[in-house]
């Protein structure tokens, strides 16, 4: 087997893991098993295919794995490859701030304080819209980042944000409204309604404010997700603008009676979210048949409750939008006919449902399942093998299996049959992109296309024209010869950072000591 084929297989395996795995407990695996498996896979790909490892930041991987990649790359600056610094900066700009601060705290705990790390921390903080807001909402994270990277906060030694973090007793009042509101909220109930919701919650509990009163008065300052989590009917959440998978999770959390009563509202919201995801591709997939897993294992785990089922429900409505009008059929493993009332139940007769789906002679067959075919075991793989080799060798029907559950034992998602490509999936919104990349797993002739695809995604991610670099990450990995120096912060950016020890240096200002 050629080295470029091995590289292609490895990147597909790693992308599947990076899309699905979160290091949390799954239905059939503990959190410890997940983390151990994921740590080995990250180390293997980083050491053997570092350009591919960095290029994964441009794909639709989840934030947990993106954070692990960023941390691993910054821990090993001597091995840096082209485009690495730009990919890290671009990915951090897309991640939720709390996750970014968590990465910075992990780097501090590991003693990673090289020049490139300090430049990336500085540039990311410089891009934050309101550091005073961060000082209130993400106080430990901002404090750790500033100390570790030796970064003076706006205003120098006399800056209010720096005093708020490191010398809180220095000022009797603050000119910045959010800092002053935080100071007043300790003694004045009205001030807490000027703070971010998550910060105000703690003050509300301290002052003994009834939850209903607090939610009503904070409604205007809550984000859409905060309104959805905290009694959406009372706080006026607009379900029609919620992301598809999160909306599916919300629907599945409702009792059956409420789902029936709100059928028109919930169905309309799910279809609106699916149409937003489908965009210009709506109705372009022709005849589509889906096999959707709502067996007992789709209940997930205590920390990922009903997540696999929510992905299947989201994919159902998205496939309905992508298929030609009236050309979509859904086959739930339980035999359910009403998608709004699905629940995790029973065994997984995937083989029987695949036979049902193929009777419709679809142009596309999509299977959404964790791959544990057990009624009877192995029937789905045998059906797909016979169908592909005997009944449809011309591949008139394209088939793709998307799996929302990472299998720690095999460092990948569980597959159904060698002839049917499998892609990991975490959010239903990623289905179109994952179907595109899954097709590269079907044969050797797909290698050139996979390289071009990865290069195009990197180019688009970095804000280019989408053509990607001439010798993209996969080509570099296969040939083993980077064609330019490691790409990180500019020389001007590095010169702006004071020289000092590369790792393990003291962490800047002392508590209460200013700058």
């Amino acid at each position: 087997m050629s080295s470029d084929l091995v590289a292609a297989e490895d990147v597909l395996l790693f992308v599947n893991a990076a899309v699905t795995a979160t290091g949390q407990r799954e239905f059939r695996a503990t959190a410890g098993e997940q983390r151990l498996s994921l740590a080995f896979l990250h180390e293997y790909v980083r050491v053997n295919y570092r350009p591919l490892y960095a290029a994964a930041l441009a794909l639709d991987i989840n934030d947990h794995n993106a954070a692990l990649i960023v941390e691993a790359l910054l821990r090993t600056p001597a091995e840096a490859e082209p485009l690495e610094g730009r990919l890290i900066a671009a990915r951090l700009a897309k991640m939720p701030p709390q996750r970014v601060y968590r990465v910075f705290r992990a780097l501090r705990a590991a003693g990673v304080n090289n020049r490139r790390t300090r430049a990336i921390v500085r540039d990311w903080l410089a891009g934050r819209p309101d550091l005073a807001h961060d000082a209130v909402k993400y106080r430990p994270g901002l404090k750790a980042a500033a100390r570790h990277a030796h970064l003076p906060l706006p205003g120098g030694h006399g800056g209010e944000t720096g005093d708020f973090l490191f010398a809180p007793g220095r000022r009797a009042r603050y000119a910045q409204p959010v800092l002053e509101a935080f100071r007043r909220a300790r003694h004045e109930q009205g001030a807490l309604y000027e703070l971010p919701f998550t910060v105000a919650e703690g003050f509300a509990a301290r002052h003994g404010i009834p939850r209903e009163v607090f939610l009503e008065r904070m409604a205007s300052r809550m984000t859409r997700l905060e309104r959805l989590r905290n009694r959406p009917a009372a706080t006026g959440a607009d379900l029609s603008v919620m992301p598809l998978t999160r909306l599916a999770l919300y629907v599945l959390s409702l009792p059956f009676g409420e789902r029936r009563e709100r059928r028109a509202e919930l169905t309309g919201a799910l279809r609106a979210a699916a149409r937003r995801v489908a965009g210009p591709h709506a109705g372009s997939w022709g005849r589509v048949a889906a096999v959707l897993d709502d067996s007992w294992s789709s209940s997930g785990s205590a920390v990922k409750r009903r997540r696999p089922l929510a992905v299947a429900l989201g994919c159902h409505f998205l496939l309905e939008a992508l298929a030609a009008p009236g050309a979509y059929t859904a086959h739930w493993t339980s035999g359910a006919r009403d998608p709004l009332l699905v629940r995790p139940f029973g065994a997984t007769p995937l083989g029987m449902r695949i036979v049902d789906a193929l009777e419709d002679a679809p142009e596309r067959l999509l299977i959404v399942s964790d791959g544990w075919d057990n009624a009877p075991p192995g029937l789905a793989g045998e059906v797909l093998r016979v169908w592909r080799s005997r009944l449809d060798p011309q591949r008139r029907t394209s088939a793709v299996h998307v799996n929302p559950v990472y299998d720690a034992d095999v460092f990948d998602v569980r597959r159904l049959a060698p002839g049917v490509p499998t892609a990991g999936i975490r959010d239903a919104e990623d289905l179109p992109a994952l179907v595109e990349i899954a097709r590269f797993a079907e044969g050797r002739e797909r290698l050139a296309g996979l390289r071009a695809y990865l290069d195009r995604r990197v180019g688009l991610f970095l804000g280019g024209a989408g053509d990607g670099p001439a010798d993209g990450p996969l080509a570099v990995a296969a040939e083993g010869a980077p064609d330019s120096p490691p790409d990180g912060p500019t020389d001007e950016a590095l010169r702006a950072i004071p020289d000092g020890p590369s790792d393990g240096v003291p962490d800047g200002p002392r508590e209460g000591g200013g700058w």
Side-chain angles (χ1 to χ4, degrees), residues 474-488:
L474 186 56
V476 173
E479 296 168 12
D483 57 359
S484 62
D487 183 70

Side-chain angles (χ1 to χ4, degrees), residues 97-141:
Q98 64 271 23
R99 284 194 177 271
V100 179
Y101 282 122
R102 199 177 303 162
V103 170
F104 294 161
R105 295 175 75 178
L107 292 170
R108 179 191 179 195
V112 179
N113 199 21
N114 50 67
R115 280 184 157 194
R116 186 173 65 156
T117 297
R118 293 199 298 271
I120 286 172
V121 173
R122 182 204 60 208
D123 291 346
W124 185 84
L125 289 178
R128 294 295 295 155
D130 187 356
L131 276 182
H133 175 275
D134 282 17
V136 169
K137 189 169 184 178
Y138 310 112
R139 184 173 184 172

Side-chain angles (χ1 to χ4, degrees), residues 489-512:
T490 63
D491 292 339
E492 290 77 13
L494 292 175
R495 281 195 291 269
I497 303 174
D499 289 329
S502 60
D503 289 288
V505 296
D507 278 334
R510 297 180 180 275
E511 189 78 27

